[in-house]
Amino acid sequence: MTYTARLEAAVEERIRELARAASDGRETGGILLGRGPDEHGVIVVEEAGDAGDHAERRPDYFLRDRAHAERLAEIAWERSRAVWVGEWH
């Protein structure tokens, strides 16, 4: 099966905002939250998280703040049953 990720428009804008805010020459990223895959292999990405205060960000390397990411995932699950479906970087 082929899988496809569909980003909600607000997710793309959120990633752009976070990337612009991190324009210090160091890489950044975060988790993606949503649903799927459905029976057609579509994963719907509904939210994008930030890197977190304890992320490792260097010009050639990024590692998200895992505790922060887990908190974001817990909040998303409680709010809308969204799950951690990937990461952006």
Side-chain angles (χ1 to χ4, degrees):
M1 174 176 283
T2 301
Y3 295 96
T4 304
R6 189 181 84 220
L7 275 64
E8 300 285 331
V11 172
E12 184 176 349
E13 182 54 35
R14 173 76 171 143
I15 291 170
R16 289 179 190 277
E17 285 174 13
L18 291 167
R20 279 191 298 268
S23 62
D24 57 4
R26 297 180 298 158
E27 295 197 24
T28 194
I31 66 170
L32 299 171
L33 300 147
R35 303 171 197 292
D38 65 12
E39 66 274 6
H40 304 291
V42 177
I43 300 165
V44 178
V45 181
E46 301 169 347
E47 298 180 49
D50 62 337
D53 291 340
H54 300 290
E56 290 184 52
R57 296 180 56 238
R58 300 190 309 236
D60 62 342
Y61 180 79
F62 170 75
L63 181 63
R64 60 167 157 52
D65 177 343
R66 184 178 178 119
H68 175 71
E70 289 173 352
R71 280 191 303 278
L72 292 176
E74 288 171 10
I75 291 166
W77 174 257
E78 291 299 320
R79 182 178 51 245
S80 66
R81 296 299 187 246
V83 297
W84 186 334
V85 295
E87 300 190 19
W88 69 273
H89 166 230

